[in-house]
Amino acid sequence: MRLSEHEKETLKHAALACFGHGTRLRLFGSRADEQRKGGDIDLLIESTMTDPADIAKAHTRFLSQIYTRLGEQKVDVLIDYPGRLSHPPIFKVALQEGILL
């Protein structure tokens, strides 16, 4: 995994603060692979929230917190939640290859 301890803790803290207790956070993509270089931070947030409006607000707060603490960088966020109607193939990749933070 190519994240510093500070980055990992910042991401975990922001996910829990914004999406609530029970939230799981996975890092996937190039930053999950020690052999690769560069790349954005690809995250899958597994939330217990169900209201789409609350999820959208939490997503905005999450990005705001991490940009404030880590500086602006390319971050891609997938959000899974109970009742989600569609799961594009990238969700399967994130679940299978992602590293739980």
Coordinates of all heavy atoms in Angstrom, one line a residue:
M1 N 0.9 -1.2 0.0 CA 0.0 0.0 0.0 C 0.9 1.2 0.0 O 1.8 1.3 0.8 CB -0.9 0.0 1.2 CG -1.7 1.2 1.4 SD -2.7 1.3 2.9 CE -3.0 -0.4 3.3
R2 N 0.6 2.2 -0.9 CA 1.3 3.4 -1.0 C 0.6 4.6 -0.4 O 0.3 5.5 -1.1 CB 1.8 3.6 -2.4 CG 2.8 2.6 -2.9 CD 3.3 2.8 -4.3 NE 2.2 2.8 -5.3 CZ 1.7 3.8 -5.9 NH1 2.2 5.0 -5.7 NH2 0.8 3.7 -6.8
L3 N 0.3 4.5 0.9 CA -0.2 5.6 1.7 C 0.6 5.7 2.9 O 1.0 4.7 3.5 CB -1.7 5.4 2.1 CG -2.7 5.4 1.0 CD1 -4.1 5.1 1.6 CD2 -2.8 6.8 0.3
S4 N 0.9 6.9 3.4 CA 1.6 7.1 4.6 C 0.6 6.8 5.8 O -0.6 6.7 5.6 CB 2.1 8.6 4.8 OG 1.0 9.4 4.9
E5 N 1.1 6.6 6.9 CA 0.3 6.4 8.1 C -0.6 7.5 8.4 O -1.8 7.4 8.7 CB 1.2 6.1 9.4 CG 0.5 5.4 10.5 CD 0.0 4.0 10.0 OE1 0.6 3.3 9.3 OE2 -1.2 3.7 10.5
H6 N -0.1 8.7 8.2 CA -0.9 10.0 8.3 C -2.1 9.9 7.3 O -3.3 10.3 7.7 CB -0.1 11.2 8.1 CG -0.9 12.5 8.1 ND1 -1.5 13.0 9.2 CD2 -1.1 13.3 7.0 CE1 -2.1 14.1 8.8 NE2 -1.9 14.3 7.5
E7 N -1.8 9.6 6.1 CA -2.9 9.5 5.1 C -4.0 8.5 5.4 O -5.2 8.7 5.3 CB -2.3 9.2 3.7 CG -1.5 10.4 3.1 CD -0.7 10.0 1.9 OE1 -0.2 8.9 1.8 OE2 -0.7 10.9 1.0
K8 N -3.5 7.3 5.8 CA -4.5 6.2 6.2 C -5.3 6.7 7.4 O -6.6 6.5 7.3 CB -3.7 5.0 6.6 CG -3.1 4.2 5.5 CD -2.6 2.8 5.9 CE -1.4 2.9 6.7 NZ -0.8 1.6 7.0
E9 N -4.7 7.2 8.4 CA -5.5 7.6 9.6 C -6.5 8.8 9.2 O -7.6 8.8 9.7 CB -4.6 8.1 10.7 CG -3.9 6.9 11.3 CD -4.8 5.8 11.8 OE1 -5.8 6.1 12.5 OE2 -4.5 4.6 11.5
T10 N -6.0 9.7 8.4 CA -6.9 10.8 8.0 C -8.1 10.3 7.2 O -9.2 10.7 7.4 CB -6.1 11.8 7.1 OG1 -5.0 12.4 7.9 CG2 -7.0 12.9 6.6
L11 N -7.9 9.4 6.3 CA -9.0 8.8 5.5 C -9.9 8.0 6.4 O -11.2 8.2 6.2 CB -8.4 7.9 4.4 CG -7.6 8.6 3.3 CD1 -6.9 7.6 2.4 CD2 -8.5 9.5 2.4
K12 N -9.4 7.2 7.3 CA -10.3 6.4 8.1 C -11.1 7.3 9.0 O -12.3 7.2 9.2 CB -9.5 5.5 9.0 CG -8.9 4.3 8.2 CD -8.4 3.2 9.1 CE -7.3 3.6 10.0 NZ -6.6 2.5 10.7
H13 N -10.5 8.3 9.6 CA -11.1 9.2 10.6 C -12.2 10.0 9.8 O -13.4 10.1 10.3 CB -10.2 10.2 11.2 CG -10.8 11.2 12.1 ND1 -11.3 12.4 11.8 CD2 -11.1 11.1 13.5 CE1 -11.8 13.0 12.8 NE2 -11.7 12.2 13.8
A14 N -11.9 10.5 8.6 CA -12.9 11.3 7.9 C -14.1 10.4 7.5 O -15.3 10.8 7.5 CB -12.3 11.9 6.6
A15 N -13.9 9.2 7.1 CA -14.9 8.3 6.7 C -15.9 8.0 7.9 O -17.1 8.1 7.7 CB -14.4 6.9 6.1
L16 N -15.3 7.7 9.0 CA -16.1 7.5 10.2 C -16.9 8.7 10.6 O -18.1 8.6 11.0 CB -15.3 6.9 11.3 CG -14.8 5.5 11.2 CD1 -13.8 5.1 12.3 CD2 -16.0 4.5 11.1
A17 N -16.2 9.9 10.6 CA -16.8 11.1 11.0 C -18.0 11.5 10.1 O -19.0 12.0 10.5 CB -15.8 12.2 11.1
C18 N -17.9 11.2 8.8 CA -18.9 11.7 7.8 C -20.0 10.6 7.6 O -21.1 11.0 7.4 CB -18.2 12.0 6.5 SG -17.1 13.4 6.7
F19 N -19.6 9.3 7.6 CA -20.6 8.3 7.2 C -21.0 7.5 8.4 O -22.0 6.7 8.3 CB -20.0 7.3 6.2 CG -19.8 8.0 4.8 CD1 -18.7 8.6 4.4 CD2 -20.9 7.9 3.9 CE1 -18.5 9.2 3.2 CE2 -20.8 8.5 2.7 CZ -19.6 9.1 2.3
G20 N -20.4 7.7 9.6 CA -20.9 7.1 10.8 C -20.3 5.8 11.1 O -19.5 5.2 10.4
H21 N -20.6 5.3 12.4 CA -20.1 4.1 12.9 C -20.5 2.9 12.0 O -21.7 2.9 11.5 CB -20.7 3.9 14.3 CG -20.0 2.7 15.0 ND1 -18.7 2.7 15.4 CD2 -20.6 1.5 15.4 CE1 -18.5 1.5 16.0 NE2 -19.6 0.8 16.0
G22 N -19.7 1.9 11.8 CA -20.0 0.8 11.0 C -19.5 0.9 9.6 O -19.6 0.0 8.8
T23 N -19.0 2.1 9.2 CA -18.5 2.4 7.9 C -17.2 1.6 7.7 O -16.3 1.6 8.6 CB -18.2 3.9 7.7 OG1 -19.5 4.5 7.8 CG2 -17.6 4.2 6.3
R24 N -17.0 1.0 6.5 CA -15.8 0.3 6.1 C -15.2 1.1 4.9 O -15.9 1.6 4.1 CB -16.0 -1.1 5.8 CG -16.4 -1.9 7.0 CD -16.4 -3.4 6.8 NE -17.3 -3.8 5.7 CZ -17.4 -5.0 5.3 NH1 -16.9 -6.0 6.0 NH2 -18.2 -5.3 4.3
L25 N -13.9 1.2 4.9 CA -13.2 1.9 3.9 C -12.1 1.0 3.3 O -11.3 0.4 4.0 CB -12.5 3.2 4.5 CG -11.7 4.1 3.6 CD1 -12.6 4.8 2.6 CD2 -11.0 5.1 4.4
R26 N -12.1 0.9 1.9 CA -11.2 0.1 1.2 C -10.4 1.0 0.2 O -11.0 1.8 -0.5 CB -11.9 -1.0 0.4 CG -12.6 -2.0 1.3 CD -13.3 -3.1 0.5 NE -14.1 -3.9 1.3 CZ -13.7 -5.0 1.9 NH1 -12.5 -5.4 1.9 NH2 -14.6 -5.6 2.6
L27 N -9.1 0.7 0.2 CA -8.2 1.3 -0.8 C -8.0 0.3 -1.9 O -7.7 -0.9 -1.7 CB -6.9 1.7 -0.2 CG -5.8 2.2 -1.2 CD1 -6.2 3.6 -1.6 CD2 -4.4 2.2 -0.5
F28 N -8.2 0.7 -3.2 CA -8.0 -0.2 -4.3 C -7.3 0.6 -5.4 O -7.0 1.8 -5.3 CB -9.3 -0.8 -4.8 CG -10.2 0.1 -5.4 CD1 -10.3 0.2 -6.8 CD2 -11.1 0.9 -4.7 CE1 -11.2 1.1 -7.4 CE2 -12.0 1.8 -5.3 CZ -12.1 1.9 -6.6
G29 N -6.9 -0.1 -6.5 CA -6.3 0.6 -7.6 C -4.8 0.7 -7.4 O -4.2 -0.1 -6.6
S30 N -4.1 1.6 -8.1 CA -2.7 1.6 -8.1 C -2.1 1.9 -6.7 O -1.0 1.4 -6.4 CB -2.2 2.7 -9.1 OG -2.7 4.0 -8.7
R31 N -2.7 2.7 -5.9 CA -2.2 3.0 -4.6 C -2.2 1.7 -3.6 O -1.5 1.7 -2.6 CB -2.9 4.1 -3.9 CG -2.7 5.4 -4.5 CD -1.3 6.0 -4.2 NE -1.2 7.4 -4.6 CZ -1.2 8.4 -3.8 NH1 -1.3 8.2 -2.5 NH2 -1.1 9.6 -4.3
A32 N -2.9 0.7 -4.0 CA -3.0 -0.5 -3.2 C -1.8 -1.5 -3.6 O -1.6 -2.5 -2.9 CB -4.3 -1.2 -3.3
D33 N -1.1 -1.1 -4.7 CA -0.1 -2.0 -5.2 C 1.3 -1.3 -5.0 O 1.5 -0.3 -5.6 CB -0.4 -2.2 -6.7 CG 0.6 -3.2 -7.3 OD1 1.7 -3.5 -6.7 OD2 0.3 -3.6 -8.5
E34 N 2.1 -2.0 -4.2 CA 3.5 -1.4 -3.9 C 4.3 -1.3 -5.2 O 5.3 -0.5 -5.2 CB 4.2 -2.3 -2.9 CG 3.6 -2.2 -1.5 CD 3.9 -1.0 -0.8 OE1 4.9 -0.3 -1.1 OE2 3.2 -0.6 0.2
Q35 N 4.1 -2.1 -6.2 CA 4.9 -2.2 -7.4 C 4.6 -1.1 -8.4 O 5.4 -0.8 -9.3 CB 4.8 -3.5 -8.0 CG 5.1 -4.7 -7.1 CD 6.4 -4.6 -6.5 OE1 7.4 -4.3 -7.1 NE2 6.5 -4.9 -5.2
R36 N 3.4 -0.5 -8.2 CA 3.1 0.6 -9.2 C 3.5 2.0 -8.7 O 3.8 2.1 -7.6 CB 1.6 0.5 -9.5 CG 1.2 -0.8 -10.1 CD -0.3 -1.0 -10.3 NE -0.8 -0.1 -11.3 CZ -2.1 -0.1 -11.6 NH1 -3.0 -0.8 -10.9 NH2 -2.6 0.7 -12.5
K37 N 3.4 2.9 -9.6 CA 3.8 4.3 -9.3 C 2.7 5.2 -9.6 O 1.8 5.0 -10.4 CB 5.1 4.7 -10.1 CG 6.3 3.9 -9.7 CD 7.5 4.4 -10.4 CE 8.7 3.5 -10.2 NZ 9.7 4.2 -9.5
G38 N 2.7 6.4 -8.9 CA 1.7 7.4 -9.2 C 0.3 7.0 -8.9 O 0.1 6.1 -8.1
G39 N -0.6 7.6 -9.5 CA -2.0 7.3 -9.4 C -2.8 8.1 -8.4 O -2.2 8.6 -7.4
D40 N -4.1 8.1 -8.5 CA -4.9 8.7 -7.6 C -5.3 7.8 -6.5 O -4.9 6.6 -6.4 CB -6.2 9.2 -8.3 CG -6.9 8.1 -9.1 OD1 -6.4 7.0 -9.1 OD2 -7.9 8.4 -9.8
I41 N -6.0 8.3 -5.5 CA -6.4 7.5 -4.4 C -7.8 7.0 -4.7 O -8.8 7.8 -4.8 CB -6.4 8.3 -3.0 CG1 -5.0 8.8 -2.8 CG2 -7.0 7.5 -1.9 CD1 -4.9 9.8 -1.6
D42 N -8.0 5.7 -4.9 CA -9.3 5.1 -5.2 C -9.8 4.4 -3.9 O -9.1 3.6 -3.3 CB -9.1 4.0 -6.3 CG -8.6 4.6 -7.6 OD1 -9.2 5.6 -8.0 OD2 -7.7 4.1 -8.2
L43 N -11.0 4.9 -3.5 CA -11.6 4.4 -2.3 C -13.0 3.8 -2.5 O -13.7 4.3 -3.4 CB -11.7 5.5 -1.3 CG -10.4 6.2 -0.9 CD1 -10.7 7.5 -0.1 CD2 -9.6 5.3 -0.1
L44 N -13.3 2.8 -1.8 CA -14.7 2.3 -1.7 C -15.1 2.5 -0.2 O -14.5 2.0 0.7 CB -14.8 0.8 -2.0 CG -16.1 0.1 -1.8 CD1 -17.2 0.8 -2.6 CD2 -16.0 -1.4 -2.0
I45 N -16.2 3.3 -0.1 CA -16.8 3.5 1.2 C -18.0 2.6 1.3 O -18.9 2.7 0.5 CB -17.2 4.9 1.5 CG1 -15.9 5.8 1.5 CG2 -17.9 5.1 2.8 CD1 -16.2 7.3 1.6
E46 N -18.1 1.7 2.3 CA -19.2 0.8 2.5 C -20.0 1.4 3.7 O -19.5 1.3 4.9 CB -18.8 -0.6 2.8 CG -18.1 -1.2 1.6 CD -17.5 -2.5 1.9 OE1 -16.3 -2.5 2.3 OE2 -18.2 -3.6 1.7
S47 N -21.1 2.0 3.5 CA -21.8 2.8 4.5 C -23.1 2.1 4.9 O -23.7 1.3 4.1 CB -22.2 4.2 4.0 OG -23.0 4.9 4.9
T48 N -23.5 2.3 6.1 CA -24.8 1.8 6.6 C -25.9 2.8 6.3 O -27.1 2.5 6.6 CB -24.8 1.4 8.1 OG1 -24.4 2.6 8.8 CG2 -23.8 0.3 8.3
M49 N -25.6 4.0 5.8 CA -26.6 5.0 5.6 C -27.5 4.5 4.4 O -27.0 3.8 3.6 CB -25.9 6.3 5.1 CG -25.0 6.9 6.2 SD -24.1 8.4 5.6 CE -25.2 9.6 6.1
T50 N -28.7 5.0 4.4 CA -29.6 4.6 3.3 C -30.3 5.7 2.6 O -30.7 5.5 1.5 CB -30.8 3.7 3.9 OG1 -31.4 4.4 5.0 CG2 -30.2 2.4 4.5
D51 N -30.3 6.9 3.1 CA -30.9 8.1 2.5 C -29.9 8.7 1.5 O -28.9 9.2 1.9 CB -31.4 9.1 3.5 CG -32.0 10.3 2.9 OD1 -32.9 10.1 2.1 OD2 -31.6 11.4 3.2
P52 N -30.3 8.7 0.2 CA -29.4 9.3 -0.8 C -29.0 10.7 -0.5 O -27.8 11.1 -0.8 CB -30.2 9.2 -2.1 CG -31.1 8.0 -1.9 CD -31.5 8.1 -0.4
A53 N -29.8 11.5 0.0 CA -29.5 12.9 0.3 C -28.4 13.0 1.4 O -27.5 13.8 1.3 CB -30.7 13.7 0.7
D54 N -28.6 12.2 2.4 CA -27.6 12.1 3.5 C -26.3 11.6 3.0 O -25.2 12.0 3.4 CB -28.1 11.2 4.7 CG -29.2 11.9 5.4 OD1 -29.4 13.1 5.3 OD2 -30.0 11.1 6.1
I55 N -26.3 10.6 2.1 CA -25.1 10.0 1.6 C -24.3 11.1 0.7 O -23.1 11.2 0.8 CB -25.4 8.8 0.7 CG1 -25.9 7.7 1.6 CG2 -24.2 8.3 -0.1 CD1 -26.6 6.5 0.9
A56 N -25.1 11.9 0.0 CA -24.5 12.9 -0.9 C -23.8 14.0 0.0 O -22.7 14.4 -0.2 CB -25.5 13.6 -1.8
K57 N -24.5 14.4 1.1 CA -23.9 15.3 2.1 C -22.7 14.8 2.7 O -21.7 15.5 2.9 CB -24.9 15.7 3.1 CG -26.1 16.6 2.6 CD -27.1 16.8 3.7 CE -28.4 17.4 3.1 NZ -29.4 17.5 4.1
A58 N -22.7 13.5 3.1 CA -21.6 12.9 3.8 C -20.4 12.8 2.8 O -19.2 13.0 3.2 CB -21.9 11.5 4.3
H59 N -20.7 12.5 1.5 CA -19.6 12.5 0.5 C -18.9 13.8 0.4 O -17.7 13.9 0.4 CB -20.2 12.0 -0.8 CG -19.2 11.9 -1.9 ND1 -19.6 12.1 -3.2 CD2 -17.9 11.6 -1.9 CE1 -18.5 11.9 -4.0 NE2 -17.5 11.6 -3.2
T60 N -19.7 14.9 0.3 CA -19.1 16.2 0.2 C -18.3 16.6 1.5 O -17.2 17.1 1.4 CB -20.3 17.3 0.1 OG1 -21.0 16.9 -1.1 CG2 -19.7 18.7 0.0
R61 N -18.8 16.3 2.7 CA -18.1 16.5 3.9 C -16.8 15.7 3.9 O -15.7 16.2 4.3 CB -18.9 16.2 5.1 CG -20.0 17.2 5.4 CD -20.6 17.0 6.8 NE -21.0 15.6 7.1 CZ -22.2 15.1 6.9 NH1 -23.1 15.8 6.3 NH2 -22.4 13.8 7.2
F62 N -16.8 14.4 3.5 CA -15.7 13.6 3.4 C -14.6 14.2 2.6 O -13.4 14.3 3.0 CB -16.1 12.2 2.9 CG -14.9 11.2 2.7 CD1 -14.3 10.6 3.8 CD2 -14.4 11.0 1.5 CE1 -13.2 9.8 3.6 CE2 -13.4 10.1 1.3 CZ -12.8 9.5 2.4
L63 N -14.9 14.6 1.4 CA -13.9 15.2 0.5 C -13.4 16.5 1.0 O -12.2 16.7 1.0 CB -14.5 15.4 -0.9 CG -14.8 14.1 -1.7 CD1 -15.5 14.5 -3.0 CD2 -13.5 13.4 -2.0
S64 N -14.2 17.3 1.6 CA -13.8 18.5 2.2 C -12.7 18.3 3.3 O -11.7 18.9 3.4 CB -15.0 19.3 2.8 OG -14.6 20.5 3.4
Q65 N -13.0 17.3 4.2 CA -12.1 17.0 5.3 C -10.8 16.5 4.8 O -9.7 16.9 5.3 CB -12.7 16.0 6.2 CG -13.8 16.5 7.1 CD -14.3 15.6 8.2 OE1 -13.6 14.6 8.5 NE2 -15.4 15.8 8.7
I66 N -10.8 15.6 3.8 CA -9.5 15.0 3.4 C -8.7 16.1 2.6 O -7.5 16.1 2.7 CB -9.6 13.7 2.6 CG1 -10.5 13.8 1.4 CG2 -10.2 12.6 3.6 CD1 -10.5 12.5 0.5
Y67 N -9.4 16.9 1.8 CA -8.6 18.0 1.1 C -8.0 19.0 2.1 O -6.9 19.4 1.9 CB -9.5 18.7 0.1 CG -10.0 17.9 -1.1 CD1 -11.2 18.2 -1.8 CD2 -9.2 16.9 -1.6 CE1 -11.6 17.5 -2.9 CE2 -9.6 16.1 -2.7 CZ -10.8 16.5 -3.3 OH -11.2 15.7 -4.4
T68 N -8.7 19.3 3.1 CA -8.2 20.2 4.2 C -7.0 19.6 4.8 O -6.0 20.3 5.1 CB -9.3 20.5 5.2 OG1 -10.4 21.1 4.5 CG2 -8.8 21.4 6.3
R69 N -7.1 18.3 5.1 CA -6.0 17.7 5.9 C -4.8 17.1 5.0 O -3.7 17.1 5.5 CB -6.5 16.5 6.7 CG -7.5 17.1 7.8 CD -7.9 16.0 8.7 NE -8.8 16.6 9.8 CZ -10.0 16.3 10.0 NH1 -10.6 15.4 9.2 NH2 -10.7 16.8 10.9
L70 N -5.1 16.8 3.8 CA -4.1 16.1 3.0 C -3.7 17.0 1.8 O -2.8 16.7 1.0 CB -4.6 14.8 2.4 CG -4.9 13.7 3.4 CD1 -5.3 12.4 2.8 CD2 -3.7 13.4 4.3
G71 N -4.4 18.1 1.6 CA -4.2 18.9 0.4 C -5.0 18.3 -0.8 O -5.4 17.2 -0.8
E72 N -5.2 19.2 -1.8 CA -6.0 18.7 -2.9 C -5.2 17.7 -3.7 O -4.0 18.0 -4.1 CB -6.5 19.9 -3.7 CG -7.6 20.6 -3.0 CD -8.4 21.4 -4.0 OE1 -8.7 21.0 -5.1 OE2 -8.8 22.5 -3.6
Q73 N -5.7 16.6 -4.0 CA -5.2 15.6 -4.8 C -6.3 14.8 -5.4 O -7.4 14.9 -5.1 CB -4.2 14.7 -4.1 CG -4.7 14.1 -2.8 CD -3.6 13.4 -2.0 OE1 -3.0 12.5 -2.5 NE2 -3.3 13.9 -0.8
K74 N -6.0 14.0 -6.4 CA -7.0 13.2 -7.1 C -7.5 12.1 -6.2 O -6.7 11.2 -5.9 CB -6.4 12.7 -8.4 CG -7.4 11.9 -9.3 CD -8.4 12.9 -9.9 CE -9.2 12.1 -11.0 NZ -10.6 12.2 -10.8
V75 N -8.8 12.1 -5.9 CA -9.4 11.1 -5.0 C -10.7 10.6 -5.7 O -11.5 11.5 -6.1 CB -9.7 11.6 -3.6 CG1 -10.4 10.5 -2.8 CG2 -8.5 12.1 -2.9
D76 N -10.8 9.3 -6.0 CA -12.0 8.8 -6.6 C -12.7 8.0 -5.5 O -12.1 7.1 -4.8 CB -11.7 7.9 -7.8 CG -11.2 8.7 -9.0 OD1 -11.6 9.8 -9.1 OD2 -10.4 8.1 -9.7
V77 N -14.0 8.2 -5.3 CA -14.7 7.6 -4.2 C -15.9 6.8 -4.8 O -16.8 7.4 -5.5 CB -15.2 8.6 -3.2 CG1 -16.0 7.9 -2.0 CG2 -14.0 9.4 -2.6
L78 N -16.0 5.6 -4.5 CA -17.2 4.8 -4.7 C -17.9 4.6 -3.4 O -17.3 4.5 -2.3 CB -16.9 3.4 -5.2 CG -16.1 3.3 -6.5 CD1 -15.8 1.8 -6.8 CD2 -16.9 3.8 -7.7
I79 N -19.3 4.7 -3.4 CA -20.0 4.5 -2.1 C -21.0 3.4 -2.3 O -21.9 3.5 -3.2 CB -20.7 5.8 -1.7 CG1 -19.7 7.0 -1.6 CG2 -21.5 5.6 -0.4 CD1 -20.3 8.3 -1.4
D80 N -20.9 2.4 -1.4 CA -21.9 1.3 -1.4 C -22.8 1.5 -0.2 O -22.2 1.9 0.9 CB -21.2 0.0 -1.5 CG -22.2 -1.1 -1.9 OD1 -23.3 -0.8 -2.3 OD2 -21.8 -2.3 -1.8
Y81 N -24.0 1.2 -0.3 CA -24.9 1.3 0.8 C -26.1 0.3 0.7 O -26.4 -0.1 -0.5 CB -25.4 2.7 1.0 CG -26.0 3.3 -0.3 CD1 -27.4 3.2 -0.6 CD2 -25.3 3.9 -1.3 CE1 -28.0 3.6 -1.7 CE2 -25.8 4.4 -2.5 CZ -27.2 4.2 -2.7 OH -27.7 4.7 -3.9
P82 N -26.8 0.0 1.8 CA -27.9 -0.9 1.7 C -29.0 -0.3 0.7 O -29.3 0.9 0.8 CB -28.5 -1.0 3.1 CG -27.3 -0.6 3.9 CD -26.5 0.4 3.1
G83 N -29.5 -1.1 -0.2 CA -30.5 -0.7 -1.1 C -30.0 -0.1 -2.4 O -30.8 0.3 -3.2
R84 N -28.7 0.0 -2.5 CA -28.2 0.5 -3.8 C -28.6 -0.4 -4.9 O -28.5 -1.6 -4.9 CB -26.6 0.6 -3.8 CG -26.1 1.2 -5.0 CD -24.5 1.3 -5.0 NE -24.1 1.8 -6.2 CZ -23.6 3.0 -6.4 NH1 -23.5 3.8 -5.4 NH2 -23.3 3.4 -7.6
L85 N -29.2 0.2 -6.0 CA -29.8 -0.5 -7.1 C -28.8 -1.0 -8.1 O -29.0 -2.0 -8.7 CB -30.9 0.3 -7.7 CG -32.1 0.7 -6.8 CD1 -33.1 1.6 -7.6 CD2 -32.7 -0.5 -6.3
S86 N -27.7 -0.3 -8.3 CA -26.8 -0.7 -9.3 C -25.4 -0.8 -8.8 O -25.0 0.0 -7.9 CB -26.8 0.2 -10.6 OG -26.2 1.5 -10.2
H87 N -24.6 -1.8 -9.2 CA -23.2 -2.0 -8.8 C -22.4 -2.2 -10.1 O -22.3 -3.3 -10.6 CB -23.1 -3.1 -7.9 CG -23.6 -2.9 -6.5 ND1 -24.9 -3.2 -6.2 CD2 -23.1 -2.4 -5.4 CE1 -25.1 -2.8 -4.9 NE2 -24.0 -2.4 -4.4
P88 N -21.9 -1.1 -10.7 CA -21.0 -1.3 -11.8 C -19.9 -2.2 -11.5 O -19.5 -2.4 -10.4 CB -20.5 0.2 -12.1 CG -21.5 1.0 -11.4 CD -22.0 0.3 -10.2
P89 N -19.2 -2.8 -12.6 CA -18.2 -3.8 -12.4 C -17.0 -3.3 -11.5 O -16.4 -4.1 -10.8 CB -17.7 -4.1 -13.8 CG -18.9 -3.8 -14.7 CD -19.6 -2.6 -14.0
I90 N -16.8 -2.0 -11.4 CA -15.7 -1.5 -10.6 C -15.9 -1.8 -9.1 O -14.9 -2.0 -8.3 CB -15.4 0.0 -10.8 CG1 -14.1 0.5 -10.2 CG2 -16.6 0.8 -10.3 CD1 -12.9 -0.1 -10.8
F91 N -17.1 -2.0 -8.7 CA -17.4 -2.3 -7.3 C -16.9 -3.7 -7.0 O -16.3 -3.9 -5.9 CB -18.9 -2.3 -7.0 CG -19.5 -0.9 -6.7 CD1 -19.7 0.0 -7.7 CD2 -19.7 -0.5 -5.4 CE1 -20.2 1.3 -7.5 CE2 -20.2 0.8 -5.2 CZ -20.4 1.7 -6.2
K92 N -17.0 -4.6 -7.9 CA -16.5 -6.0 -7.7 C -15.0 -6.0 -7.6 O -14.4 -6.6 -6.7 CB -16.9 -6.9 -8.8 CG -16.6 -8.3 -8.6 CD -17.1 -9.2 -9.7 CE -16.7 -10.7 -9.5 NZ -17.2 -11.6 -10.5
V93 N -14.3 -5.2 -8.4 CA -12.9 -5.0 -8.4 C -12.5 -4.5 -7.0 O -11.5 -5.0 -6.4 CB -12.4 -4.2 -9.5 CG1 -10.9 -3.8 -9.4 CG2 -12.6 -4.8 -10.9
A94 N -13.1 -3.4 -6.6 CA -12.8 -2.8 -5.3 C -13.0 -3.7 -4.1 O -12.1 -3.7 -3.2 CB -13.7 -1.5 -5.1
L95 N -14.0 -4.5 -4.1 CA -14.2 -5.5 -3.1 C -13.2 -6.6 -3.1 O -12.7 -7.0 -2.0 CB -15.6 -6.1 -3.1 CG -16.7 -5.2 -2.6 CD1 -18.1 -5.8 -3.0 CD2 -16.6 -5.0 -1.1
Q96 N -12.9 -7.1 -4.3 CA -11.9 -8.2 -4.4 C -10.5 -7.8 -4.1 O -9.7 -8.5 -3.5 CB -12.1 -8.9 -5.7 CG -13.3 -9.7 -5.9 CD -13.5 -10.3 -7.3 OE1 -12.8 -9.9 -8.3 NE2 -14.4 -11.2 -7.4
E97 N -10.1 -6.7 -4.7 CA -8.7 -6.3 -4.6 C -8.4 -5.2 -3.6 O -7.2 -4.9 -3.3 CB -8.3 -5.7 -6.0 CG -8.4 -6.8 -7.1 CD -8.1 -6.2 -8.5 OE1 -7.6 -5.1 -8.6 OE2 -8.3 -6.9 -9.4
G98 N -9.4 -4.6 -3.0 CA -9.3 -3.5 -2.1 C -8.7 -4.0 -0.7 O -8.9 -5.1 -0.3
I99 N -7.9 -3.1 -0.1 CA -7.3 -3.3 1.2 C -8.2 -2.5 2.2 O -8.3 -1.3 2.1 CB -5.9 -2.8 1.2 CG1 -5.0 -3.6 0.2 CG2 -5.3 -2.9 2.6 CD1 -3.7 -3.0 -0.1
L100 N -8.7 -3.2 3.2 CA -9.5 -2.6 4.2 C -8.6 -1.7 5.1 O -7.5 -2.1 5.6 CB -10.1 -3.7 5.1 CG -11.3 -3.3 6.0 CD1 -12.4 -2.7 5.2 CD2 -11.7 -4.5 6.8
L101 N -9.0 -0.5 5.2 CA -8.2 0.5 6.0 C -8.7 0.5 7.4 O -9.9 0.3 7.7 CB -8.2 1.9 5.4 CG -7.6 2.1 4.0 CD1 -7.7 3.5 3.6 CD2 -6.2 1.6 4.0

